[in-house]
Amino acid sequence: MRIRTFQPPCQYRDSQVKDWLKIGVNLSGYTANTTPVSENINDIYTYGLTGGNPGIAYLDDQNRLGINANNEDDPQNATNNPYNRLRNVSGNIGINTLKTRMYAILTPLKGLTIQGSYTYDYYDKQKDSKPNFVPMYNFQTNTLYTDGVGQTSIYNYNEKTYRNFMDAIARYERNYLNNRLSTNIMIGASQEQYKRSYFSATRKDLLDPSLGVIGGAIGESSSTGNVTEWAMRSFFGRINLGWDDKYLLEANLRADGSSRFQKDNRWGYFPSFSAAWRISEENFMKDFTWLDNLKIRGSYGSLGNNTLGSNRDNDGNYLSQSLYAQTNYVLGRAVAMGLSQTAIANANLSWETTYITNLGVDYNMFGNRLSGSLEFFNKKTDGILIDLPAPMVHGNATIPKQNAAQVTNKGVEFSVNWSDRVGKDFDYNVGFNFTYIKNNVDKFKGDEPSYDGARMLKEGLPIWSLYVREIDRIIQTDADLALVETMLNNPEVEGKVVFPYGVPQKGDILYKDLNGDGLVNDDDRTVIGDGRNPTFTYGVNLGFNWKGIDFSTLIQGVAGIKDVYLSNLYKSGVRQGYQMNQEVIDGRWYEGRTDASYPRLLDYSDTRNEQYSDFWVASKAYLKIRNITLGYTLPSQWTKVAYMDRVRVYGSLENFFTFSKWKGYDPEVSGVTYPTMRQAVIGINVTF
């Protein structure tokens, strides 16, 4: 895998053409070249860790690739060699980007500023790839396993993205009544247009394996392509009023129009208001000399969202329209080509609106050495787009989303910072922040929930709450096994399936019958935890400067979040050719053992012990030292000799330390995927 990147420094130019006119240009971009292997790094990472036998020789001294050749291994996993996945594709991926911004600022009158700008983003990706057929060997018998021969093909892909953004803003600032009344008025407009197109083609049977273009193949071909486009236009205004710098008022209004909605629902209107009182400026506070600033503030406002999918730019652009696709049908005993509806439109689709209420206090004390804030917030999102139940008469067409859900987030944020100087050379600072959030789904589908693996979305609960079975025990003794027999012989369940996942034996997990119906099934699941979002988040920052030496660190953590860790690294299911975790092996049940911490080992196709349950639930709380930086700035008398204003040498560690009970690689990622990257950086900053 090779990666070559060229990124020129950002080119920034501005010019004061006249006293009343300033213009500027900002230009940036980069060019990168890599191979198709780089797009499969998670796949290589996964198979290299779980799908490879630790006893296999992946390479020999002749650079040949080996297979999983143990007789007891599953033949389908024979080629789970990460080197094979690195070598079985070749080609090139080229990426070019360009971002330009041009602006002009006019000041025709004192206090009046008019600014206009235009931004253009361009992204181009070209990918060419073809499969390589790599010979693989059984080193145990020194024989050829795969001969490295197959049907050649060539794949071309091109993607282009264009984004145009322009805005015009006018601001007017002026004070009245002997400067006691301050005013700041702003009005503006903007519009944005986005377009993404892609095209791909594949053709088989290259005339020569070295060729890398579609024209170099003569076999079957296929192609596909599409265009996604949206636009938005906005008008906005704001007015700020202040009296004696003690009483502050702000009012905003936005009007946004989106191409994602039909004409009658295209525009959304989102006002907001805020007010503040600087109590510390009142006369009755003059005796509190230790108090530098005390401000009480409150706000209420709304924001709109027209994003109808997980990908802001490319999802949900056409849900308000009916969609059609080519369909063949029979007419007069002959196949004819026609169209069929693949997605039903929702012409009433409209803006999702978030209403936010904030009440807060800001403070500075002791010569501004101590500062911080305390804030209470209530964030309610209404009109969330969801899929509601629909009758089957719609056929195979996709049901449109509707503005039908509501979610509330309530909480408190707290921050405190202390900065001071000891002596004349030592400056230091300490900061702490804390956030508590309570999430609730106010409106969804009534009593009907939606499921996503081990999680459930339902009214009255935190969004995507864990919904799993509770375990009674791991069956390890005859007395434990007798409990199973008692449940099977219960006359109230005669003729019913008591254990739909398989009758548990010694070494299996016994799930609880929570609803008391005598059956152990999906109806016995229960809610655990507060959903996908942490209940608490917190952070700490520390730093000091002393005689040119500077140090800083950032610590961040979350608490109150749980998830299932039922991944390939912790399952008790055995799959031939796949590695097992030492903790699972050492803790597994076997005949005669009564203190097992994991169930018995079973073939991976038997999932009775791998149902979503609290046995596989663990805390995803963590504390991470995000950054540690140590630097030294050379004395100015040294640098001036070399005509330099400032020279600083530094080193930093990024994401090097994580403290967590989570059993996966990284509590911030899911499953067996590439964890947050650790980085060690050494650098030098020079200013002339």
Side-chain angles (χ1 to χ4, degrees):
M1 177 175 60
R2 70 181 188 278
I3 299 178
R4 298 194 306 271
T5 302
F6 171 69
Q7 184 167 357
C10 178
Q11 301 296 317
Y12 180 81
R13 296 288 186 274
D14 61 46
S15 176
Q16 192 73 44
V17 180
K18 299 286 185 180
D19 292 341
W20 50 270
L21 175 61
K22 181 179 180 179
I23 59 175
V25 177
N26 191 338
L27 175 64
S28 63
Y30 72 87
T31 297
N33 281 283
T34 182
T35 67
V37 172
S38 63
E39 297 186 333
N40 302 323
I41 188 65
N42 275 337
D43 181 64
I44 297 168
Y45 189 75
T46 299
Y47 278 90
L49 287 170
T50 63
N53 190 309
I56 183 179
Y58 288 136
L59 290 171
D60 67 0
D61 56 3
Q62 301 177 47
N63 204 31
R64 299 183 305 176
L65 302 187
I67 65 167
N68 290 336
N70 296 323
N71 293 330
E72 63 272 20
D73 284 343
D74 191 335
Q76 69 173 326
N77 302 319
T79 58
N80 274 358
N81 183 332
Y83 286 103
N84 180 44
R85 294 176 179 271
L86 286 169
R87 298 181 181 181
N88 63 10
V89 62
S90 63
N92 182 72
I93 298 177
I95 297 176
N96 296 284
T97 70
L98 176 66
K99 183 173 184 178
T100 63
R101 180 176 181 266
M102 297 172 285
Y103 70 91
I105 302 175
L106 290 81
T107 54
L109 300 173
K110 182 179 179 180
L112 176 62
T113 301
I114 302 173
Q115 178 176 328
S117 70
Y118 171 73
T119 301
Y120 174 76
D121 275 359
Y122 173 74
Y123 172 90
D124 178 81
K125 177 181 179 181
Q126 178 69 45
K127 177 180 178 181
D128 305 304
S129 66
K130 55 185 179 181
N132 294 330
F133 305 99
V134 184
M136 301 189 72
Y137 295 83
N138 184 334
F139 294 145
Q140 294 184 2
T141 61
N142 197 28
T143 57
L144 185 68
Y145 182 79
T146 59
D147 57 9
V149 176
Q151 187 177 21
T152 59
S153 64
I154 179 67
Y155 171 77
N156 285 173
Y157 173 85
N158 182 250
E159 174 187 345
K160 296 183 186 302
T161 300
Y162 309 88
R163 189 188 300 272
N164 295 277
F165 178 83
M166 60 185 69
D167 64 359
I169 299 173
R171 294 183 176 89
Y172 184 67
E173 298 181 55
R174 188 170 178 180
N175 295 340
Y176 300 91
L177 303 176
N178 295 323
N179 291 325
R180 299 189 68 185
L181 175 64
S182 61
T183 63
N184 187 324
I185 301 173
M186 182 271 290
I187 59 172
S190 67
Q191 63 181 27
E192 184 176 7
Q193 181 258 347
Y194 170 91
K195 183 176 182 180
R196 173 181 177 265
S197 62
Y198 73 88
F199 176 81
S200 66
T202 301
R203 195 168 189 182
K204 298 180 180 180
D205 299 330
L206 286 165
L207 292 170
D208 187 277
S210 64
L211 297 176
V213 293
I214 291 290
I218 58 174
E220 296 180 356
S221 62
S222 61
S223 61
T224 185
N226 208 341
V227 174
T228 300
E229 189 171 15
W230 58 262
M232 188 165 72
R233 180 172 294 165
S234 303
F235 300 95
F236 44 86
R238 181 179 67 226
I239 181 170
N240 291 88
L241 300 175
W243 181 262
D244 282 345
D245 203 26
K246 290 189 294 187
Y247 313 109
L248 309 174
L249 179 67
E250 179 179 301
N252 294 272
L253 178 63
R254 288 189 63 92
D256 296 307
S258 173
S259 65
R260 290 182 166 116
F261 308 127
Q262 294 294 328
K263 184 177 181 180
D264 293 340
N265 299 306
R266 181 156 295 165
W267 287 91
Y269 302 92
F270 310 103
S272 63
F273 309 91
S274 63
W277 177 25
R278 294 190 64 194
I279 302 177
S280 55
E281 297 299 310
E282 298 288 357
N283 290 329
F284 60 79
M285 297 293 293
K286 298 302 182 183
D287 294 335
F288 297 89
T289 56
W290 51 270
L291 183 63
D292 302 296
N293 176 55
L294 179 62
K295 181 170 69 175
I296 298 176
R297 52 184 169 81
S299 65
Y300 176 81
S302 59
L303 296 171
N305 175 38
N306 69 335
T307 303
L308 310 182
S310 58
N311 187 313
R312 176 185 181 273
D313 290 323
N314 299 314
D315 289 344
N317 293 294
Y318 310 108
L319 294 183
S320 64
Q321 308 173 31
S322 297
L323 301 181
Y324 298 85
Q326 176 185 321
T327 302
N328 294 331
Y329 64 98
V330 177
L331 179 64
R333 295 185 179 182
V335 177
M337 184 182 299
L339 294 175
S340 66
Q341 189 173 20
T342 59
I344 299 174
N346 178 7
N348 294 320
L349 211 62
S350 62
W351 286 84
E352 176 184 296
T353 306
T354 298
Y355 303 93
I356 306 174
T357 303
N358 291 79
L359 294 174
V361 177
D362 301 325
Y363 58 89
N364 297 74
M365 303 177 185
F366 311 120
N368 290 312
R369 288 176 293 177
L370 178 66
S371 62
S373 65
L374 177 64
E375 181 173 312
F376 300 89
F377 62 88
N378 184 344
K379 179 180 178 182
K380 179 180 291 186
T381 304
D382 197 10
I384 301 174
L385 291 157
I386 61 172
D387 297 306
L388 290 178
M392 296 302 294
V393 295
H394 64 81
N396 294 325
T398 303
I399 295 297
K401 294 181 182 294
Q402 301 180 49
N403 299 92
Q406 178 179 293
V407 174
T408 298
N409 288 279
K410 299 178 180 180
V412 59
E413 294 181 344
F414 169 77
S415 68
V416 60
N417 298 274
W418 177 269
S419 60
D420 200 3
R421 168 171 288 188
V422 178
K424 66 175 183 178
D425 295 322
F426 188 79
D427 298 301
Y428 69 95
N429 65 277
V430 180
F432 174 76
N433 63 79
F434 171 87
T435 303
Y436 165 79
I437 300 177
K438 182 64 177 178
N439 173 271
N440 186 71
V441 179
D442 303 324
K443 185 180 178 182
F444 186 55
K445 299 180 182 179
D447 293 332
E448 180 182 340
S450 288
Y451 301 99
D452 181 11
R455 296 193 177 272
M456 178 177 67
L457 187 61
K458 187 179 180 180
E459 285 185 15
L461 297 173
I463 193 167
W464 291 119
S465 298
L466 273 176
Y467 188 57
V468 298
R469 300 158 187 83
E470 289 186 358
I471 74 161
D472 184 275
R473 67 190 71 191
I474 296 177
I475 301 169
Q476 304 190 59
T477 66
D478 291 337
D480 294 336
L481 200 57
L483 293 175
V484 177
E485 293 299 324
T486 301
M487 297 175 71
L488 289 171
N489 295 328
N490 183 354
E492 295 183 3
V493 299
E494 186 176 350
K496 299 180 181 179
V497 179
V498 179
F499 301 103
Y501 322 117
V503 177
Q505 306 296 323
K506 281 188 177 181
D508 292 335
I509 291 175
L510 178 61
Y511 303 107
K512 290 182 179 180
D513 176 19
L514 293 181
N515 62 3
D517 64 357
L519 308 177
V520 182
N521 53 28
D522 287 351
D523 295 333
D524 295 307
R525 290 175 292 179
T526 187
V527 174
I528 296 177
D530 292 327
R532 284 182 172 169
N533 298 315
T535 306
F536 305 99
T537 62
Y538 57 92
V540 178
N541 59 81
L542 307 169
F544 71 81
N545 292 276
W546 179 69
K547 293 185 177 181
I549 299 173
D550 62 272
F551 171 83
S552 65
T553 183
L554 175 63
I555 302 171
Q556 186 260 330
V558 303
I561 182 171
K562 298 178 180 179
D563 205 352
V564 291
Y565 63 95
L566 195 56
S567 69
N568 289 334
L569 284 185
Y570 277 92
K571 288 182 179 179
S572 58
V574 179
R575 186 172 183 179
Q576 294 174 327
Y578 277 67
Q579 299 183 39
M580 295 290 294
N581 190 290
Q582 186 69 41
E583 180 182 332
V584 177
I585 295 297
D586 292 342
R588 78 192 189 283
W589 179 89
Y590 49 81
E591 188 62 50
R593 185 172 186 177
T594 59
D595 62 347
S597 55
Y598 281 89
R600 62 178 173 143
L601 303 183
L602 294 171
D603 185 82
Y604 75 97
S605 61
D606 190 335
T607 60
R608 70 182 70 188
N609 295 322
E610 296 177 358
Q611 302 299 309
Y612 290 125
S613 71
D614 59 355
F615 182 86
W616 302 105
V617 171
S619 171
K620 291 195 83 172
Y622 65 83
L623 183 149
K624 286 194 172 189
I625 302 179
R626 293 287 188 185
N627 174 272
I628 300 175
T629 299
L630 180 64
Y632 177 66
T633 301
L634 275 62
S636 58
Q637 58 266 31
W638 297 3
T639 57
K640 286 182 178 180
V641 175
Y643 302 99
M644 294 181 289
D645 292 334
R646 185 173 183 268
V647 177
R648 176 176 175 264
V649 181
Y650 68 94
S652 69
L653 300 177
E654 303 279 350
N655 299 310
F656 254 72
F657 304 100
T658 299
F659 304 92
S660 176
K661 294 182 179 179
W662 179 247
K663 294 180 180 293
Y665 299 141
D666 188 337
E668 288 191 285
V669 300
S670 300
V672 187
T673 55
Y674 206 82
T676 305
M677 184 178 294
R678 296 179 178 179
Q679 295 186 85
V681 179
I682 298 176
I684 181 170
N685 293 329
V686 180
T687 303
F688 294 93

